[in-house]
Each structure stands twice: as C-alpha cells, then as structure tokens.
Amino acid sequence: MPKSLSLFEQDLAATLEKRKAKGRYRPLYPPHELNNTIDFGSTDVMHLSASGALRREFLQELERNPGFQVGSKGSRLIDGNNQYVVDLEEYLADFHKAETALFFNSGFEANIAVFTTLPQPGDVIVYDEFVHASAIDGMRHTRAASIQMFKHNDMKSFKEVLQKVKTLFPDVREGRRSVFIAIESLYSMDGDYSPVHQVLSAAKEYFPLGNIVFCIDEAHTSGIIGPNGSGFICHYGLEHEFAIRIHTFGKAPSSHVAAIVMGSPRVKDTLANYARNFIYSTGPSFPSLACVKAGYKILSSPDGEERRKRLPVLTAYFLQCFFKHPVWEQIKGNGTIYIPNPGKYVSNGLVSPIIPLITKNKAYNLRAWLLREGINAWGVAYPVVPKGEDRVRVVIHSDNTRPQIERLVDVIMQWALEQKNIPEVKSQL
Ligand SMILES: Cc1ncc(COP(=O)(O)O)c(C=O)c1O
C-alpha cells in the first residue's frame, strides 16, 4: 500500500483488499465487455429497452407534451409537484386497480419509505427472509416494536412466527396494534412465487380481528403478470387484501429506475408527510415520468401483450432444452449444476423468467465461461444467496430467440462437462 495515502484512504484500501481476498469484491463492470453479448442477464425482461420500443414510445410521449420542462424544480411538497406527475399517479393507480399511487425515485426508496413510516410504535412486522435488501434496510429503521423473520415461503415457519407474535405481543393479539406481513410476489434469487393464498389465510387464522396489514413488493411481476401486466395481485384479484403494494419500473415495465407505492389515501398522505426520503428529496423529472408512461403504454398495447405471451413459451423452451440435452443424462447425478424445482417456473398461468443454475460455488466460473462464448448471465454468490448455493441467474427475455436459448444450453452443458479442468474464477470479472 503506498505510504503517501492518508489514514482514511489506507482504511478504505485495507477494507477493499479484505473483500477481494474473500472473493466478494464487486467491480463496476466495464460496459464494453457486454457489447454484442446475448442478453440472459439484464432486468429488461420484456426487452422494451433493448428493442428500441421504449425509445420510440418515449420520444412520442415527449412530442405529446410539447413545452415540457425537464427539471422538477423541487421536492414534491413544494415546486416539484406538477400536473403530469399527478395525472401519472392517477393513471398508475387505475392501471393496478388501487385507490392511490405515490411516485418514488426508486424501488429502494419506496421500500425504505414504507417500512420507516407506515408501521407505528407497538406494531410488529413479519417478513419473508428473502425480501429485498431495501425492505430490510427500511425495517432496520422502523418504529415498529419488533421485526420477525420467517423462512422463505415456508408456511410452517410462517405459522410459528405468527404464533410467537401472538404470544409475545398482547396488543397485537388483542387487535390494539397491527401486524404487517411483508412479502414479494416473485423472489428474484429463486424465481419462485409467494404462496399468497396460504399466507393470507394463515395470517387471518392467527389474527382474526382485522389488524393485519399485508404488504407486497411486485418488482419482478410488474409488467409480466396479470391483465396488461398489472401484476400478481391483479392476476388473482386480491387488490382488496393488500393495504400496501409496491411496483417498481426497473424490470419489465421500462428497466428504468422509479417506483410507486399504492394504497389508501391515508397511506399516500402518511408517506408524503412522514417519509423523509420523499419530503427531503427532489421530485421526479419529466423525462423519468415520461419514460414510465411510455413503458406502461407499451405494456397495455398489442406489442406488450405479444411480449408477455412469449415469456412462458421461451422459459418452457429453455427448461426443455436443458433437461433434454444429451449431456444432462451424464452429469445430472454429480451435482455440478442443477435447477431447483423445474416444474415451478411455468405453472398455473404464472411464469418466472428468472431461473437459477446452482453451481456449487462455481457461479463466477460459469459466468466467465458464458461470457467468453458471447453470453451474458450474472453470477450471484454468498452472502446475497445462502452459502453453498452460488448460482448463475438466467433471465429469459421476450426477444430471446430459440437458437439463442439452444446455444445457451449447449454452452452450459460444455462447461458442466469440462469445469473440473477450468481454473476457479473469484469474481464477475
Ligand atoms: C424486489 C425488489 N424490490 C426493490 C428493488 C429496488 O428497486 P430499484 O431498482 O427501483 O431501486 C429491487 C431491485 O433489485 C427488487 O428486486
């Protein structure tokens, strides 16, 4: 380490070195490395962005609003409120069959706002262990009396936690304080859906007095599920059950960072009055809002419908190619690579375009191998996923072609056959 570094810089360098030694260092990925690669990695699930469809619609939205001002000019509570954002919130609430919607500059901010603001002192939050980091961060600063985690999508664990809350928190048990249940629709690391009907009925069985606040983050189902892509809750017609719904736009709707929180007028007012990251932050600029509007226009167009329809077909095709590949028969017993519960990715009218390839701590190795073959899919390692479950996350996109999928599977299988001879790779690079 150069001696001329200040103490502060030396501290940072030492911390980064430690991270590198653990193989957990994350470089900002050089964009040129992804040039001309086949996309099985990005969150642009419907390829609205990559296809240019979003750019075209966005430019039209600009034309429909001649004279727009680029900047928002302040926080929403002062100069940053304008007719366009007010109208867009109404449009989005309508689209998702909610009473109101409030715009946030990102899904991360939306979750922070929800969990720091809405649970009141004495309330309890019960959450699935795999909810997004932003929900966890929000809960770390919540005013709720307690936060309680249950094992991912595990009804036995969920009921045990509900029973614990019932025993330990008489105010919640007797309906004087609320219990928040925080889940996601589709979990991004495993590609599995919440067993939402079971969650609803178990929670009501333990807390029958009407003091449950169901809260769902639809980041990974916005745009791809439900009528016009309105989401998982709209797919099942459960809008009335969820007091709080979060839709982010960073995935299918526009792969553009921003989000809405939907709920009653009281939910909206409370967030606007108490969420510090809403109050003390500049409101969204016109280009951000217009991009969201453009994405939603495509979602509800015939092009959007076609793109949505292709996802389950292509996802099923990937699984078929994988499990029918001649190499699979040779390697399936040795644990080099596997896809957990293959039946769950396309079932009951739902699709998960996220498919984890679990690789026994060789995720970065497979990721590097794919990249050399011109394919982009990201490796995810501990601590983002549990130890021993490092994985490459394959994301199927609406514009992926069958030959691209066949090639992806061929390359995966070549790796699985040869990976013993390949040196270990310790990071995404
Ligand atoms: C479930 C979930 N919620 C929230 C977020 C954060 O959304 P954003 O990217 O808009 O900050 C993400 C992003 O990865 C997510 O997967």
Side-chain angles (χ1 to χ4, degrees):
M1 199 176 299
K3 277 212 179 98
S4 55
L5 287 183
S6 68
L7 176 64
F8 166 62
E9 294 290 340
Q10 284 182 40
D11 283 349
L12 297 188
T15 309
L16 290 167
E17 280 311 317
K18 267 193 219 153
R19 181 152 277 223
K20 280 182 188 159
K22 285 184 189 157
R24 283 167 52 185
Y25 174 72
R26 306 280 303 273
L28 280 177
Y29 209 78
H32 67 267
E33 296 261 350
L34 300 185
N35 286 351
N36 304 317
T37 54
I38 304 171
D39 182 13
F40 286 107
S42 81
T43 62
D44 186 16
V45 179
M46 290 173 72
H47 269 166
L48 300 193
S49 205
S51 65
L54 185 61
R55 183 181 56 240
R56 288 189 291 277
E57 194 60 49
F58 172 68
L59 292 174
Q60 282 176 25
E61 187 61 15
L62 298 189
E63 273 175 27
R64 283 190 284 269
N65 292 274
F68 63 82
Q69 292 187 18
V70 175
S72 65
K73 303 186 296 183
S75 157
R76 283 290 297 286
L77 292 178
I78 46 175
D79 299 270
N81 206 27
N82 54 62
Q83 200 54 46
Y84 193 85
V85 68
V86 171
D87 290 347
L88 182 60
E89 283 176 342
E90 263 179 40
Y91 169 89
L92 294 171
D94 215 41
F95 191 96
H96 294 287
K97 298 195 167 53
E99 280 187 271
T100 72
L102 186 66
F103 207 89
F104 280 84
N105 287 329
S106 75
F108 206 103
E109 295 295 339
N111 268 320
I112 298 282
V114 162
F115 291 105
T116 54
T117 306
L118 298 177
Q120 303 299 308
D123 292 348
V124 173
I125 307 174
V126 173
Y127 67 99
D128 186 291
E129 66 175 322
F130 285 180
V131 294
H132 191 256
S134 51
I136 303 285
D137 281 11
M139 289 183 222
R140 281 187 185 145
H141 297 101
T142 186
R143 292 181 303 157
S146 174
I147 61 173
Q148 300 283 336
M149 183 184 88
F150 63 95
K151 286 195 193 128
H152 173 57
N153 273 357
D154 181 331
M155 280 304 108
K156 183 168 171 285
S157 167
F158 182 51
K159 288 178 184 177
E160 283 165 7
V161 171
L162 294 176
Q163 182 56 53
K164 183 176 162 195
V165 172
K166 213 170 158 173
T167 309
L168 293 182
F169 298 92
D171 280 352
V172 177
R173 181 177 64 237
E174 287 154 28
R176 290 188 295 275
R177 296 283 7 125
S178 298
V179 56
F180 282 64
I181 310 288
I183 57 171
E184 288 180 17
S185 46
L186 175 63
Y187 289 86
S188 67
M189 290 301 145
D190 288 274
D192 52 356
Y193 277 90
S194 166
V196 66
H197 295 96
Q198 293 176 45
V199 168
L200 289 168
S201 62
K204 287 180 193 174
E205 182 192 323
Y206 282 77
F207 296 99
L209 300 176
N211 57 333
I212 316 172
V213 181
F214 290 106
C215 174
I216 191 161
D217 179 338
E218 290 226 33
H220 294 277
T221 40
S222 305
I224 67 167
I225 300 292
N228 289 329
S230 48
F232 178 67
I233 292 305
C234 290
H235 169 79
Y236 283 124
L238 294 173
E239 301 86 357
H240 56 288
E241 297 280 11
F242 280 79
I244 303 160
R245 282 186 279 155
I246 298 161
H247 278 263
T248 75
F249 311 128
K251 279 79 180 164
S254 64
S255 69
H256 164 79
V257 64
I260 38 164
V261 178
M262 294 183 293
S264 70
R266 271 84 47 202
V267 166
K268 181 168 178 167
D269 258 4
T270 305
L271 288 168
N273 277 276
Y274 288 95
R276 292 167 65 80
N277 58 350
F278 181 86
I279 301 167
Y280 299 110
S281 187
T282 305
S285 67
F286 178 78
S288 288
L289 298 165
C291 182
V292 172
K293 182 71 184 285
Y296 270 73
K297 284 196 90 111
I298 304 175
L299 290 184
S300 46
S301 72
D303 181 29
E305 193 59 27
E306 280 306 308
R307 288 174 181 279
R308 234 179 336 273
K309 277 191 190 152
R310 290 205 289 275
L311 277 178
V313 176
L314 293 170
T315 303
Y317 188 61
F318 169 77
L319 292 164
Q320 182 194 326
C321 289
F322 188 95
F323 290 109
K324 296 237 160 102
H325 198 281
V327 171
W328 177 244
E329 274 308 307
Q330 292 177 51
I331 59 153
K332 69 178 182 190
N334 69 15
T336 308
I337 191 166
Y338 68 93
I339 297 176
N341 305 323
K344 76 182 176 188
Y345 303 97
V346 186
S347 69
N348 301 326
L350 299 175
V351 59
S352 163
I354 301 169
I355 304 168
L357 306 175
I358 315 275
T359 56
K360 263 200 192 160
N361 302 333
K362 291 272 176 82
Y364 292 145
N365 185 311
L366 173 56
R367 187 267 182 304
W369 178 274
L370 290 169
L371 194 60
R372 267 197 303 277
E373 296 296 323
I375 294 170
N376 180 41
W378 295 98
V380 190
Y382 174 81
V384 181
V385 292
K387 266 195 178 135
E389 292 186 21
D390 291 6
R391 64 199 61 190
V392 165
R393 249 181 11 149
V394 167
V395 182
I396 304 291
H397 300 80
S398 301
D399 284 347
N400 284 138
T401 62
R402 283 172 181 252
Q404 286 176 348
I405 289 173
E406 288 157 17
R407 179 159 163 65
L408 169 67
V409 174
D410 278 343
V411 174
I412 293 168
M413 293 300 170
Q414 283 161 17
W415 174 83
L417 276 181
E418 303 221 2
Q419 56 94 19
K420 283 195 198 99
N421 308 320
I422 303 167
E424 194 170 334
V425 177
K426 286 220 159 183
S427 81
Q428 301 276 7
L429 270 179

